[in-house]
Amino acid sequence: MRMILIGPPGAGKGTQAANLVQTYSIPHISTGDMLRTAVKQGTELGKQADVFMKAGNLVPDELVIAMVIERIGQADCDSGFMLDGFPRTRPQAVALDAALETAGAALDAVVLIEVPDAMITERITGRRSDPQTGDIYHLTFRPPPAEVADRLVQRKDDTAEACANRLAKYHKDTAPVVPFYEETGKLVRVDGVGTPAEVQLRIVAALQAVNNQAAN
Ligand code: AP5
């Protein structure tokens, strides 16, 4: 299964991916996580990306495309992968298409998780993550257990100001990726409002429908 999760910041891509990759036994490739690791490690890529990420701006296409193409070429991606947060611009989608075509591979599905803008700020500013396990919590919607509460961290780009910028960038740069995939017939829209478990059921049902369609 080769699939993409797209949606606005805070739509629940990371939350959903954590379970879906287990269901489908595929690696989870989150460009946000890869870039945050590069920043933390102080690599050349991390130094270049940091300034864009802090402000909630997109990291330049050429940097992200090279990072992802290299990653999906690794052996653990031979039988599939889940891309989370990529592609985020039309040039990124075109580059991914070209790389897959060269490799003789094809995408199975692109899942768009839809959440109204009005809900995004609350989700983003209340998010906390566990640096030890990578688990994602929310102070209200998914409260952390007491034993991990002290070690949780808040992302630098999870301020209300950076969130507003990320949302604006989503509408300007990433929304045009939706018609790109709609034309291929691979795009499925999933309502991202509801509990994470409810959203998960909708995604699994949508992927099942895509698989059935492909089999017929
Ligand atoms: P990235 O890390 O990809 O951030 P994002 O797309 O803005 O998405 P988020 O991680 O903020 O949200 P999510 O949808 O994963 O939601 P989550 O599950 O955590 O990218 C960060 C930055 O890196 C970008 O701004 C950019 O600078 C750079 N970058 C990354 N990829 C790039 C690319 N391709 N090109 C250029 N630059 C790139 O959930 C959010 C919160 O809501 C959590 O607290 C969670 O517990 C809660 N929640 C989840 N689901 C529900 C639910 N159903 N109900 C209630 N609460 C929920």
Side-chain angles (χ1 to χ4, degrees), residues 13-36:
K13 301 180 293 295
T15 300
Q16 296 301 329
N19 293 324
L20 289 168
V21 292
Q22 289 181 11
T23 305
Y24 294 100
S25 301
I26 47 177
H28 175 200
I29 303 176
S30 156
T31 45
D33 286 350
M34 290 172 82
L35 291 166
R36 279 185 288 278

Side-chain angles (χ1 to χ4, degrees), residues 7-16 30-33 35-36 49 52-54 56-61 64 84-89 92 123-124 126-128 136-139 141-142 155 157-158 166 192-197 199:
K13 301 180 293 295
T15 300
Q16 296 301 329
S30 156
T31 45
D33 286 350
L35 291 166
R36 279 185 288 278
F52 296 99
M53 294 175 76
K54 265 193 223 151
N57 291 321
L58 291 182
V59 175
D61 281 340
V64 184
D84 159 5
F86 182 96
R88 240 182 174 95
T89 63
Q92 291 181 16
R123 282 200 187 182
I124 290 283
R127 171 170 47 197
R128 299 291 183 274
I136 304 167
Y137 296 99
H138 190 281
L139 296 178
F141 305 130
R142 194 181 174 223
R155 272 169 46 178
D157 60 348
D158 275 355
R166 283 159 61 197
V193 179
T195 66
V199 177

Side-chain angles (χ1 to χ4, degrees), residues 64-180:
V64 184
I65 290 170
M67 179 181 82
V68 172
I69 301 301
E70 195 272 332
R71 178 66 187 87
I72 63 175
Q74 291 175 10
D76 64 334
C77 294
D78 283 353
S79 55
F81 50 75
M82 172 173 297
L83 284 171
D84 159 5
F86 182 96
R88 240 182 174 95
T89 63
R90 228 178 142 93
Q92 291 181 16
V94 170
L96 176 64
D97 244 26
L100 289 175
E101 201 179 323
T102 304
L107 278 175
D108 295 294
V110 180
V111 177
L112 169 63
I113 306 180
E114 297 183 298
V115 174
D117 286 5
M119 300 181 106
I120 296 295
T121 311
E122 193 183 10
R123 282 200 187 182
I124 290 283
T125 53
R127 171 170 47 197
R128 299 291 183 274
S129 21
D130 185 337
Q132 281 183 25
T133 62
D135 288 341
I136 304 167
Y137 296 99
H138 190 281
L139 296 178
T140 309
F141 305 130
R142 194 181 174 223
E147 62 271 23
V148 304
D150 285 348
R151 65 175 191 234
L152 299 185
V153 294
Q154 183 172 26
R155 272 169 46 178
K156 282 189 270 186
D157 60 348
D158 275 355
T159 61
E161 193 190 9
C163 171
N165 193 30
R166 283 159 61 197
L167 198 50
K169 291 276 177 296
Y170 174 79
H171 288 297
K172 180 174 166 284
D173 297 319
T174 308
V177 172
V178 172
F180 178 90

